[in-house]
Amino acid sequence: PRRTLATFHGLGGLASGHSRPFMHTMLRLLALLAAVMAFTPAARAVESAAVRSPRATVTLIADQAAIAPGQAFRVALRQRLAPGWHTYWINPGDAGQPPEVTFALPDGASAGAMRFPAPQRIPFGPLVNFGYEGEAVFTIPVTAPASLRPGETFTLAADATWLVCEQVCIPEEGAFRLDIPVEAAPRPDPVTGPIFTAAEAAEPRAGPSTARAGFDGLQGAVELAGPAITAGAVREAFFFPLEVNLLDNAASQPLTVRDGTLRLGLTRGRADDALPASIEGVVAITDAAGVRG
């Protein structure tokens, strides 16, 4: 307050004989501004109470600040991991377990399958895990009941389990709850919106390329073909299989790129295991600029 008054006294001196009315007006304006700031709530994310441990902070978030009856929207299990700790993809690699979420939904509501970001390779001694460090956001589509009415609250409860590892692996769990207002029209959450945008960008998506894979004994390959594939556009690539134990996860995947074709060499985990009818997975490609897509 003293700094504010000193500033206004200085301005009043410049106004000569009108200094007192000017001072009075500015102080009233300042008081009004302070009142508006005091009663204007800060933007708050639709985010549950956090489950915290020395290893991770985990919450459930929604991409909408308010939903409309019957609306499809997204929630996400958000994990912020302590340095050195990691969590897991659908196929965790040589060890681990992916997170799981079980919802308690009102009648008429439904939830879809959890979507996983493209994973990273995480070496651990002779083993290689597939998962995430830093922050991982697992999105889940939800559809609200059409019977909701504006003015009501849509309550979503969930139980989740996840595994975090460093030198040791520790299972964790938590219960989460979101209370989302129901309005006539949906209202996106400006705080969580960028989190969902980044999560969507990190999720695997079908590309314009065609793919095929095969093995002859222990050795095999996966190939992508498409006009956007050029030797100058690809810095590195790695294939993450959905099938557990399909590959020797620690083996290198030699990369060959020619215009129109990308080939990754693969090594089977065990030659005596039957091959699946189709081989599914994610090819994570890092372009010449270092952007991973």
Side-chain angles (χ1 to χ4, degrees):
R2 291 181 180 176
R3 291 181 183 176
T4 303
L5 287 173
T7 301
F8 283 126
H9 278 305
L11 290 171
L14 293 176
S16 185
H18 299 287
S19 61
R20 190 178 302 274
F22 182 83
M23 179 75 172
H24 179 67
T25 302
M26 292 299 292
L27 286 177
R28 287 183 61 188
L29 180 61
L30 179 65
L32 177 62
L33 179 61
V36 171
M37 293 179 64
F39 289 99
T40 301
R44 296 181 61 186
V46 178
E47 185 166 16
S48 71
V51 174
R52 304 179 190 273
S53 75
R55 301 160 292 277
T57 299
V58 183
T59 57
L60 191 69
I61 61 176
D63 67 352
Q64 302 292 308
I67 60 170
Q71 181 190 347
F73 64 102
R74 290 176 298 173
V75 299
L77 186 71
R78 183 187 188 193
Q79 297 182 336
R80 284 163 283 185
L81 303 166
W85 291 85
H86 62 268
T87 191
Y88 293 96
W89 187 50
I90 305 169
N91 172 4
D94 289 323
Q97 181 178 341
E100 296 182 357
V101 177
T102 302
F103 288 104
L105 297 169
D107 290 342
S110 62
M114 178 186 289
R115 294 184 59 85
F116 287 72
Q120 306 164 347
R121 298 177 79 242
I122 304 174
F124 184 74
L127 307 178
V128 171
N129 297 327
F130 300 152
Y132 316 95
E133 298 173 311
E135 180 170 343
V137 178
F138 308 93
T139 66
I140 305 156
V142 175
T143 301
S147 58
L148 290 175
R149 295 290 180 266
E152 295 179 342
T153 298
F154 176 75
T155 297
L156 183 152
D159 293 320
T161 60
W162 59 92
L163 185 68
V164 289
C165 296
E166 190 196 32
Q167 299 300 315
V168 297
C169 290
I170 298 178
E172 296 188 341
E173 62 183 15
F176 305 92
R177 172 174 168 151
L178 292 176
D179 295 308
I180 308 174
V182 179
E183 298 179 358
R187 184 159 47 88
D189 189 317
V191 178
T192 63
I195 300 172
F196 281 89
T197 299
E200 185 175 13
E203 292 171 358
R205 55 196 178 276
S209 304
T210 58
R212 63 178 184 174
F215 289 90
D216 182 6
L218 283 175
Q219 300 304 310
V222 59
E223 292 185 353
L224 300 182
I229 298 173
T230 64
V234 179
R235 177 184 295 183
E236 61 184 38
F238 194 86
F239 176 66
F240 296 92
L242 287 179
E243 183 82 12
V244 177
N245 299 324
L246 174 67
L247 300 183
D248 178 350
N249 299 315
S252 63
Q253 296 185 1
L255 170 65
T256 304
V257 181
R258 297 184 178 88
D259 286 352
T261 305
L262 179 153
R263 185 181 190 276
L264 285 169
L266 306 177
T267 303
R268 292 279 307 278
R270 291 188 292 265
D272 55 345
D273 285 352
L275 283 169
S278 62
I279 296 173
E280 297 180 296
V282 173
V283 177
I285 299 174
T286 302
D287 65 18
V291 178
R292 188 169 183 259

